Amino acid sequence: MAQMIRIKLVRSPIGRPEKHRKILQALGLTRLQKEVTLPAIPQVVGAVKKVYHLVQVTEA
């Protein structure tokens, strides 16, 4: 099983590009302070890198 990472939305996507908002929605981050735990597969890690300035990432 892949290593898990915990992703928390800490900054608002308001005023950000539509692409960033869609990435957050795809990750399951729909409101501030929401946390999701996802596997650290390349697709998820790549999406997190695109919105790294909006989220906080920790190992689960």
Side-chain angles (χ1 to χ4, degrees):
M1 186 170 172
Q3 182 182 5
M4 302 298 278
I5 56 174
R6 181 171 291 156
I7 309 162
K8 182 177 182 179
L9 183 60
V10 293
R11 301 215 38 208
S12 175
I14 294 174
R16 305 293 177 178
E18 183 70 26
K19 189 173 185 178
H20 291 186
R21 287 183 267 152
K22 286 187 177 186
I23 290 170
L24 291 172
Q25 190 174 27
L27 289 172
L29 299 170
T30 54
R31 44 184 208 277
L32 285 177
Q33 305 303 316
K34 184 169 182 179
E35 288 187 14
V36 294
T37 302
L38 298 171
I41 58 176
Q43 295 86 348
V44 173
V45 173
V48 168
K49 284 183 180 179
K50 299 274 187 179
V51 293
Y52 194 75
H53 56 288
L54 302 174
V55 298
Q56 178 181 10
V57 181
T58 57
E59 292 185 17

